[in-house]
Structures are given as C-alpha cells and as structure tokens.
Amino acid sequence: MVRMSDVVRGIVREKSADAAKDAPAPAAPPPPPPPPPPPRPRPVVEAPRPAPPPPAAEEPRAVEPAPSLDALPIVHETPAESVEPLFSELQLFLARVRELIRTGDAFPWSEYEQIIDRGAVSLERSSELFWVANNTAALTGVDYLAFHQARVAVLSMSIGASVGYDRPRRVQLGMAGGLIDVGLWQAPETLLRRLDALSADEQTIYRSHPRLSVELIRRWSAPREGFVEAVLQHHEREQGQGFPQGLHGTAVSQDAKILGLVDTYTGLTMPPAPRPRLRPHEAIREIVRSKHEAFPSALVKALLSEISVFPPGTLVRLNTGEVGRVIAVNRNHPLRPRVEIVADGKGQRLTSPKTTDLAEAPFLYITGAVAEGGH
C-alpha cells in the first residue's frame, strides 16, 4: 500500500517481490508506424533578383512613325546597256567635235562625260565593249580620227582598270583618250596616210598635234587639267625619244603612258587606209619586239592581259592539225583560250563545229595563228 506520506515526499517504495510476481505482465507495445515517405523535392525557384534602381528621369523622346511602304526607296537594277549602240554613239559624238573646231561652238562637256561614264560602267560589267572597240570598223560617214579616238577612249579605260584605277580616274582617262588627236583635224587629211614617209615639213606638222590638241581643249574650258597633261604627253616615250618635249619616263604621267601605248596599238590594228593592218596578236608582238623601250613593261603586260595573244575571232591551228576560232579568252591562261573547232586535221570543214576549252585540255595547244581563209 502506498502511503500518503510517501506520495507527499515523492517517494514510491518498491513493491514486494510477491506483489511483483502476482502482477500480470505488461502488454508488448504496438509496433511503431512505418515512417512516412520522403516528401517529393520541390523545384528550386530562384529567388527574384533585386530590381535595378530606376534610371534618372529623362525627357520623353518623340516616337518617329514607321515609314510607309510608299516612302521606302525602290532599288531598280539598271539593265546592261547594249555595247554596239554605245560605241556608235561615242563615234558620232567625236565626229561632232570636228564641227566644233570649225564653228567655234561651246564643247558639251557634260554630255561627253556621261557617254564616257556609261562606257566605264559597261566595261565593269563585261568585256563586250572592249572587244567591240577592238574589232569593229568605223561607222559610215564617220572619219578615221573620230573612230580611232573612240577606240583609244574605250581601250585605255580597260588598261586603267587593269592597273587599279578607280572609276573617276578611268573616266578622266577615257575623256582624254577621245581627244588626243583633235589637233590633227587641222592638218591635211593625207598626212595620216603617209606617216611612214613624211617630209621634214610634214613631220613638223605631225609632231605639233599634241600642242594643237591641248590648245583646243583649253579653249573649250576643259573641266579637268589632269587629262590636258595626258593629251600633251601621249607621244612622250620612256627613253626620251618622244615628242613634243622629249620627256623621259619619270617625267611622263601614267595616264599619258597608257594613252601612248593604246594609241600605238590601235594605230597598228586599225591604221588609216591604205596602210596595212595587223591582227591583235601581231600588233602585240610588234610592240614587244620593236618598241620595248618605248613603254613600261608593266603597261605592256596589262595590255597583253586584256588583248591576249589570241583574241576572240582569231583563227588558230592546234597541235592536232585542227583549225579553230577563238571565242573566249582565259585571262589566267592567255595562251589557252576557248576555241570553236571549225576544221579537222586534214583541213576539212566540220559540219558541226565543236567547242573546246584549252585550259581544260592539257594535251591540246595552239601552234600558231592561221591567216583568214587559210587551212
């Protein structure tokens, strides 16, 4: 029995051994419940970054309205100009220059520059104008000097492009090329037909034409002094053997050297009648052989790269005996153009010509040119 005094003192006496034996055994505690499943991981949500401090107050900007479709510029690609009419237009313009000398009227510089600029654009797009100027004949009713100067204008711009001239400088070069010989319109017409057999007095007249040309150009108030100098010096040569001043290479402008080279080439390939003409590759050979001291080698190479030893239209014989006509030049391989085979190795004309690119046919090569109508 538990006494009240023990309870008050917080003391519980042990039960007697007998009471312990008689007491029933305590029930086993129930098994603990299974642990709950671990909670599924929650997606980690990045804490929002603190907002940057508000920028300083600015004055509100006016919102520009978007341009309407009607206001947007429309770019039209200019179609390529047909080269034959363009070259004819240049010839006709230069033929009018002869009349200006007689009438004393003002020179239409703006019209002239526009024609030359169109020529420069055409040459940038393709070489068609170059070959028209290289191979064509003078228009009916256009005298030789107008035709000759038109050729010089076009071909000199091609050489200018080869040596790195930008378009404005090529246009200036072309404008000079079209006027190099205007002074010769004041000389007797028979002078040009006998350049290889001039008397002393005729030589003096001929050698004065660069100065006469410049006098006319200045009288017409030339817009650029640069091409006036080129016209004056286009007959000067590297070793001082030219005229009218006998200048040596370093004293002659680059433009004048290009004009002099092209003037010589065009005079050999299309001379005034009745002087015999040379084919383009023959003219190049003549320049290299007999005039190698007259022109810088870099310009001769530039002319060669443009003309090619075998320009389009040249009849050539292959190592197989076949005859072909050059139809295109490979600039990287000037001795291996594209040819149209027109006759077999026995000289028999083919009913269906075949085209061969010699740059892709290593076992075929040209042995030489063939005279027109030859076999």
Side-chain angles (χ1 to χ4, degrees):
M1 149 179 274
V2 179
R3 289 178 295 185
M4 182 62 66
S5 58
D6 292 336
V7 174
V8 171
R9 290 195 300 265
I11 300 174
V12 179
R13 295 177 181 265
E14 291 185 355
K15 297 179 179 180
S16 63
D18 295 338
K21 289 179 183 180
D22 296 337
R40 294 183 181 180
R42 297 181 181 180
V44 178
V45 178
E46 185 178 355
R49 297 180 181 178
E58 295 182 358
E59 295 183 2
R61 297 181 181 178
V63 178
E64 297 181 0
S68 66
L69 292 178
D70 295 336
L72 293 176
I74 300 176
V75 179
H76 296 285
E77 184 176 352
T78 305
E81 184 171 7
S82 180
V83 295
E84 288 86 358
L86 176 58
F87 187 68
S88 298
E89 183 179 350
L90 179 57
Q91 291 185 69
L92 291 171
F93 178 91
L94 294 174
R96 286 165 47 200
V97 174
R98 183 175 188 176
E99 292 301 309
L100 297 180
I101 298 174
R102 183 180 61 83
T103 62
D105 293 340
F107 192 98
W109 288 110
S110 178
E111 178 184 354
Y112 182 43
E113 185 169 2
Q114 288 176 8
I115 296 174
I116 296 296
D117 184 73
R118 286 159 51 203
V121 171
S122 178
L123 291 169
E124 289 174 2
R125 290 177 167 173
S126 76
S127 59
E128 289 184 49
L129 180 60
F130 176 89
W131 290 112
V132 166
N134 193 42
N135 295 324
T136 191
L139 290 175
T140 303
V142 171
D143 71 5
Y144 172 77
L145 280 178
F147 167 62
H148 172 73
Q149 292 177 115
R151 297 185 71 214
V152 173
V154 171
L155 302 189
S156 63
M157 286 194 289
S158 292
I159 303 303
S162 293
V163 298
Y165 281 16
D166 59 13
R167 187 190 296 177
R169 190 169 179 185
R170 294 198 307 271
V171 170
Q172 175 174 294
L173 181 66
M175 292 177 71
L179 300 175
I180 57 171
D181 288 336
V182 290
L184 283 173
W185 271 315
Q186 296 178 309
E189 292 185 6
T190 57
L191 193 70
L192 292 176
R193 300 174 186 172
R194 299 184 298 104
L195 286 181
D196 297 330
L198 297 179
S199 66
D201 290 341
E202 289 172 330
Q203 279 281 3
T204 301
I205 295 173
Y206 179 74
R207 286 174 171 264
S208 69
H209 84 265
R211 294 187 185 277
L212 294 175
S213 297
V214 166
E215 289 176 6
L216 288 169
I217 293 171
R218 284 183 171 147
R219 188 189 307 168
W220 292 325
S221 301
R224 297 183 182 88
E225 185 64 23
F227 73 72
V228 175
E229 178 186 54
V231 171
L232 179 63
Q233 297 178 355
H234 78 276
H235 273 289
E236 305 289 354
R237 298 294 180 256
E238 286 296 288
Q239 306 300 321
Q241 67 271 49
F243 60 88
Q245 297 169 289
L247 301 176
H248 285 72
T250 56
V252 183
S253 74
Q254 174 91 335
D255 288 7
K257 293 177 182 182
I258 294 175
L259 294 179
L261 176 60
V262 174
D263 181 43
T264 300
Y265 169 80
T266 52
L268 291 171
T269 54
M270 293 282 186
R275 293 169 59 196
R277 57 178 290 189
L278 299 180
R279 287 175 292 177
H281 70 279
E282 294 172 335
I284 294 290
R285 185 185 307 153
E286 175 69 13
I287 289 173
V288 173
R289 181 180 64 83
S290 64
K291 305 180 187 301
H292 63 280
E293 295 182 351
F295 305 104
S297 59
L299 293 184
V300 175
K301 290 179 181 178
L303 176 63
L304 178 59
S305 70
E306 292 293 328
I307 301 297
S308 171
V309 177
F310 304 108
T314 305
L315 283 176
V316 294
R317 189 180 304 281
L318 304 182
N319 59 314
T320 57
E322 297 170 301
V323 175
R325 186 180 301 277
V326 176
I327 59 175
V329 174
N330 288 316
R331 296 185 63 118
N332 295 330
H333 305 282
L335 297 178
R336 306 190 68 79
R338 188 180 307 155
V339 297
E340 182 182 62
I341 309 298
V342 296
D344 61 21
K346 298 180 180 179
Q348 301 297 318
R349 185 170 293 276
L350 300 179
T351 55
S352 298
K354 60 180 181 179
T355 300
T356 300
D357 190 342
L358 296 184
E360 299 176 356
F363 299 106
L364 286 179
Y365 58 87
I366 295 173
T367 59
V370 178
E372 195 73 30
H375 296 287

